[in-house]
Amino acid sequence: MTPAPPGDGLDDLALYIHWPFCKSKCPYCDFNSHVREAVDQRRWRDALLADLDHAAVATGGRRLGSIFFGGGTPSLMAPDTVAALLARAARHWRFADDIEITLEANPSSVEAAAFGALGEAGVNRLSLGVQALDDDALRFLGRAHDAADALAAIELARRHFRRFSFDLIYARPGQSLAAWEAELARALALAGDHLSLYQLTIEPGTAFATSYARGAFALPDDELAAALYEATAAALAAAGLAAYEISNFARSGGESRHNLVYWRYGDYAGIGPGAHGRLTRAADRIATRQYRAPETWLAAVERQGHGRDESLDLAPEESRREALMMGLRLAEGVERRRFRARTGSELDAALDPARLPDLIEAGFIELDARGLRATPAGRQRLNAVLTALLAP
Amino acid sequence: MTDLAHIRNFAIIAHIDHGKSTLADRLIQFCGGLEAREMREQVLDSMDIERERGITIKAQTVRLAYTARNGESYELNLMDTPGHVDFAYEVSRSLAACEGSLLVVDASQGVEAQTLANVYQAIEANHEIVPVLNKIDLPAAEPQRVKQQIEEVIGLDASGAVEISAKTGLNIQEVLEALVHRLPPPRGDAAAPLKALLVDSWYDSYLGVVILVRVKDGVLKSGLKVRFMATGAAHPVERVGVFTPKGVPVPELGPGEIGFITAGIKTVADCRIGDTITEDRRPAAEALPGFKPLQPVVFCGLFPTDAADYDHLRDSLAKLRLNDASFEYEPETSAALGFGFRCGFLGLLHLEIIQERLEREFNLNLITTAPSVVYHIHLTNGEAMALHNPVDMPDPVKIDHIEEPWIKATVLVPDDYLGGVLALCEERRGVQLDLTYAGTRAMVVYRLPLNEVVFDFYDRLKSVSRGYASFDYQMDGYSEGDLVLMNILVNSEPVDALAIIVHRSQAERRGRALCERLKELIPRQLFLIAIQAAIGGRIIARETVKALRKDVLAKCYGGDITRKRKLLEKQKEGRKRMRQFGKVEIPQSAFLAALKMSDS
C-alpha cells in the first residue's frame, strides 16, 4: 500500500495560469497552444492580472497551496510578468508556507537563459519538456531542442530551482523495449525527485492525427505498449520513484502538489485562455472555463475585466464521475471522506453494484472502509475499468 | 368509355438501369399527360426509395391520349411493373392486364438475366412484344449485336426493333406508332357480367385503399356494389378514375380499360392481388384464372437498436402493412437483441426495401438478423411444421427429416467469368441444369438451395464476375436436405440472433467464418472472450478474443476533465447498446456486422 503523499491540504486552493504561446507547434500536442509572430507582453501581463483579480472575487482569502504556470510555453513569459502575477496572487490569497510554484519550460538555450530570473521571480519548481534524450526522436516529435540542450537545461534547472521534473514521451514509432529501457536508465541518472513519462498518443486535431491516419508511421501494438508501460513502472520503482499516478513518478514527498489537487478533485481556479477551474460553493460544484482563443480571451478581458466564458453547476452524477475518473489515476485511489466532501454523496452511489464483484475478483480494483483503489493492473486498463465500474 | 379498337394496353419490360422509367417519362411527356412544370424524373416511381434505387416496387399505370399519324385518337394504358423477381407475382398480374409489352434493352449492355425472366413471363401471358433498343446515342451502342442477341437468347424477331434514346427523346413517336399498329386491341364484352382483375392496391391517407383494376367484361361505375371473388367481401364503389398520371375521375371504366376505384376499404390486406372483382347482384360465373395468395419465402428478425423504439417499430410495421400486404410480422424476443419482430418477405430485395423504408420513413435504427428460409420439418410422430426461425428448431431426436426450398437460378455472364460463377454455384450445393452460349456470353441455369442464396450469394456473384453477371431465379419446390442447427456461443452462452440452419457440409465453413468475423468485431475487454460455433454439443470452430492489456489515457489534468468525462459518458452510454455475456459485454454493432458478413 502506497502511503498517501503529503500536502493533503484538502481545503487548499490551487491556481493555474495559462500562457498560450509557443515558438512552434509540436505535432503531438493538442493543448491550447498557438504560434504568434509577436506577443505584446505588457498587454498580456495586464490582462492576466485582471483575470487573476476576477478569480479572487470568489476565492480570495483562501489558503493557496500551489500555483502552476502551464501552456503553451510559459518559459517564454517575461520573468517580470511571472513576478507581477505572483505578487498580485500573494495579495489575494494566503500562501501556504511550503507553497509549490511550478512553471513549465522548454530546454532550448534561449529559454534556459531565463531560468535564473524565473527562480528569482518566485518559481520554485521547474517542469521541463525534455520529451526524449535522442536527437532523431526529438526531430520526429518536432522539438526545437536537441539532446545536448536537454542535458544543459536539466543542469540549469538543478541549480536554479529547489525542485524540478522533466517529461519524456515513450512508445514512439519503432521504439523497442530495450531502447526505451536504456533511455530510461539515462533519464533516471539525471532525474530530480519527479518524472512524468507519457506514452505517445494520437490526439484528434493534431498534425500527428493527420499523418498517422495517412499511415506515415505506426505505433506499438497493445502488447508492446503494455510491456513498455510495465517495464517503466518496474524501472522507476527500482530507482525509488513510485508510480503515484498513471504517468507520474516521484520520490516520497516529490509529488506534484498542484497536479494532486486535480487528481484528488480539489478546488482550483484557472486563469488565462482556455483555463478550466473547479470550485466548491456551498453544496455545489462549479466548473469554470475561460475563452479559449487567445485573442478572444484578451478582448473579453479588456472589455469586461475577465476572460470567463462559462461557469456552470455540475450535476451530482457529473462530479461523482469526475472524482472517480481522476482519483483512480492515483495509486492512493479515492478516499471515501474526500469523495463525500467534494461531491456531497457516498462513494458507493457512483458505482455499478452489478459489475463490482467481477472487477474485484479479477484484481482490478480494491474497495474497503478507506475507499476505492485501482490496482496497478486496473490502472493500466483504467478506461475499461471505469466504463464497467461507473453506475449506469 | 373508349371503343376496344382504340385501346392499347402495354407494359414495359427492362433490366434495371436500361431506361424503363425514362422511356415512360418521355411517353407521358409526348402525349401531354403532364405540363412541363409537373415533369420530374421517373414520375411513376412515387416512393423516394424507388426513385433513388431506380427500381419500381408498386405497379403504376398511366392513361395516355395519343393521336396517331393515321389521324385517329387512341387510349394507351401504360402499366409500369416491378422488375424484380421478389415481385414476380405482381409482375405476372400486371402483365395479365395488358396485351403487349415493350422490351427495352440497353443497346450497349445487351440482354440481362432479369430481362429474360420478365420476357418469358410476357410470352407466357401471350403478349405481342416490341423490342426497343435504348441509349442508341451512346458511343458504346452496338444495335446490331444486341438485336442478334435478342434473337439468339430470347428467340424474338428483332428486325423491327425501334432504336431510340429515351434521354434525348429520339424516336419516341416511333414507339407510340409501334404500339398502335403492332399491339392487338383488348377484347371484352360490355354487356356481360362484370369481371375486373385486381392488379394492385395501396393505401392513400385521404382516399383509403385505392385499387388498380383492369376491366375484362362489363362496366365499373360508382355506386355499383362489387364483390371480391377470392375474399367474398362486397363493397359499393365510391370513386372511379384513371391516372394521367394524376388521378382524374371518370364516369366509368369499360372493357379493356385500366383505372382505379375506391370502395371504403380500410386495409390492403383485404385486397388480394390477382383477385377478380365482379358485380354483387350479377356475379360472373367464374373468376379470372391464376389467382394465388402470396407466400413469404424469406424471414428475418427486425429489432430496434434502441429498445425504447419497440412500440414505434410495431406501429410503423402496421402502417407499412397497410400498403404492402405481402409481408408479415409477429413479435419475437431475443436474449441478444431484446424485443422485436419476426418478419416474412417475398425475397431479399423486398426485405431490404421494408428495412430501408422503416429506417428512412419512420426514422428507426434496426438490427436485422440473418435471413432464413422456410424449412419443412417432418417429425418422427408423423407431424409436419413450417420453421420460420432457427431458434424454434425442435429437438433433433424428434425430427425425421427436413426439407428446404430450392430455386431455379439463371445467370448470364461474360465467358471470362464463367469459371468463377460455376465454382460459386458448386460451392453452394448447386446442380447444373443447362449451360449455353450466345456470342461471348454464357447462360447457365442451376438448381440451388435458397438458403445458400440468402447468405451473401449476390455479393459473391458480384465479386467473382466483377459485377458483370446478372441473376434471376424462380422458386422450384422443396427437397430433403441434411440440415442442422448451428449455434454461436460467446463465453459458452448461445447468441440466439446468430443461430442459423445450415447444411451439414457447409456448417464448418460457415461456423469458422462467423467465429473469425466476430473475433475481429468484438473489441478486447477486461476479460478473455471465447467464441465458438457448435452443432448440438459438438464445437466445430473456436476463436478467442484476448483480454485487454492496456487501455488508459496517458495524460489527464485539470483542463481535460470536462472533455474526458464526456468521452467516458459516451463510452458508458455505448454500454446501453451492449449485451452482457457473463463478465463481458458485446456491442450490438458486433452482432450486426456479423449478421451482414458480406465479405466472408
Side-chain angles (χ1 to χ4, degrees), chain B residues 416-418 420-421 424 459-467 469:
Chain B
D416 288 355
Y417 306 113
L418 179 64
V421 171
L424 174 64
D459 292 324
R460 287 290 310 279
L461 183 66
K462 223 195 236 168
S463 89
V464 300
S465 70
R466 303 244 179 104

Side-chain angles (χ1 to χ4, degrees), chain A residues 198-199 222-223 230 247-248 263 268 278 321-322 329 352 355 358 380-383 387-388 391, chain B residues 524 527 548-558 561-562 565 568-569 571-572 575 583 585:
Chain A
Y198 302 109
Q199 285 213 357
D222 186 47
E223 295 294 327
E230 288 159 11
S247 304
N248 286 278
W263 296 318
Y268 55 97
R278 286 291 183 282
R321 283 178 207 136
E322 290 186 347
R329 296 183 68 85
D352 183 351
R355 302 303 303 277
D358 285 342
Q380 186 167 334
R381 300 163 177 87
L382 189 58
N383 289 347
T387 20
Chain B
R524 285 189 177 196
F527 305 96
L548 194 63
R549 267 195 75 188
K550 181 173 176 292
D551 176 24
V552 62
L553 300 169
K555 293 187 180 190
C556 194
Y557 295 97
I561 299 187
T562 310
R565 179 200 4 110
L568 185 63
E569 284 165 350
Q571 284 164 354
K572 201 176 72 76
R575 273 179 63 195
K583 284 189 251 184
E585 287 174 324

Side-chain angles (χ1 to χ4, degrees), chain A residues 6-366:
Chain A
D8 186 312
L10 190 56
D11 297 319
D12 280 357
L13 181 71
L15 172 66
Y16 177 79
I17 300 172
H18 192 78
W19 181 262
F21 302 112
C22 286
K23 280 205 179 129
S24 60
K25 180 96 184 160
C26 298
Y28 56 85
C29 173
D30 69 335
F31 285 13
N32 187 22
S33 56
H34 305 265
V35 178
R36 297 287 183 268
E37 271 186 28
V39 176
D40 184 338
Q41 288 274 352
R42 196 181 168 78
R43 218 175 140 197
W44 273 83
R45 186 183 69 188
D46 291 346
L48 283 170
L49 286 168
D51 217 18
L52 187 71
D53 293 342
H54 176 255
V57 173
T59 58
R62 286 182 64 172
R63 196 170 77 144
L64 202 58
S66 65
I67 299 173
F68 196 102
F69 291 90
T73 311
S75 50
L76 296 174
M77 288 170 90
D80 63 351
T81 302
V82 175
L85 284 162
L86 292 177
R88 185 68 63 86
R91 292 226 306 264
H92 291 311
W93 296 283
R94 287 183 291 122
F95 278 18
D97 294 340
D98 52 352
I99 186 167
E100 174 193 277
I101 302 174
T102 307
L103 182 135
E104 285 182 334
N106 275 341
S108 79
S109 52
V110 182
E111 286 153 72
F115 286 0
L118 288 165
E120 277 162 33
V123 174
N124 59 24
R125 183 174 180 272
L126 198 75
S127 173
L128 267 176
V130 169
Q131 315 310 9
L133 295 172
D134 171 88
D135 285 347
D136 287 340
L138 286 167
R139 260 191 301 278
F140 169 75
L141 294 170
R143 303 294 291 173
H145 65 275
D146 61 18
D149 292 335
L151 299 184
I154 289 169
E155 286 321 306
L156 276 174
R158 203 189 304 280
R159 193 182 317 157
H160 290 292
F161 302 97
R162 202 161 65 224
R163 298 166 61 203
F164 76 96
S165 173
F166 61 88
D167 296 1
L168 293 178
I169 295 176
Y170 70 106
R172 304 187 297 253
Q175 190 177 34
S176 68
L177 185 57
W180 169 236
E181 282 175 329
E183 189 174 358
L184 202 49
R186 290 171 59 209
L188 281 166
L190 299 166
D193 60 355
H194 191 281
L195 280 177
S196 298
L197 305 169
Y198 302 109
Q199 285 213 357
L200 176 61
T201 53
I202 304 301
E203 302 299 330
T206 61
F208 270 176
T210 314
S211 52
Y212 180 71
R214 275 205 311 259
F217 59 88
L219 291 179
D221 63 13
D222 186 47
E223 295 294 327
L224 179 55
L228 288 164
Y229 181 89
E230 288 159 11
T232 304
L236 273 281
L241 278 80
Y244 73 101
E245 194 260 358
I246 304 273
S247 304
N248 286 278
F249 304 82
R251 295 186 203 289
S252 183
E255 297 85 358
S256 163
R257 181 188 293 189
H258 184 84
N259 289 337
L260 276 173
V261 171
Y262 298 146
W263 296 318
R264 286 170 175 167
Y265 204 46
D267 277 10
Y268 55 97
I271 69 154
H276 287 243
R278 286 291 183 282
L279 299 166
T280 310
R281 195 182 329 164
D284 289 329
R285 189 76 173 154
I286 295 154
T288 69
R289 191 186 68 208
Q290 310 304 95
Y291 284 104
R292 184 174 164 87
E295 290 73 19
T296 312
W297 174 87
L298 188 64
V301 175
E302 291 177 349
R303 186 178 67 243
Q304 63 191 26
H306 61 83
R308 178 71 48 87
D309 178 19
E310 191 178 82
S311 172
L312 44 87
D313 287 358
L314 291 173
E317 66 272 15
E318 288 175 332
S319 48
R320 287 200 291 265
R321 283 178 207 136
E322 290 186 347
L324 270 190
M325 177 183 87
M326 299 306 279
L328 290 179
R329 296 183 68 85
L330 292 171
E332 67 179 30
V334 179
E335 282 187 23
R336 288 182 186 275
R337 99 194 136 87
R338 198 177 272 138
F339 189 88
R340 206 180 295 126
R342 293 303 176 208
T343 69
S345 47
E346 292 299 325
L347 179 57
D348 303 79
L351 310 176
D352 183 351
R355 302 303 303 277
L356 269 174
D358 285 342
L359 294 169
I360 292 171
E361 191 199 307
F364 293 133
I365 57 167
E366 296 168 350

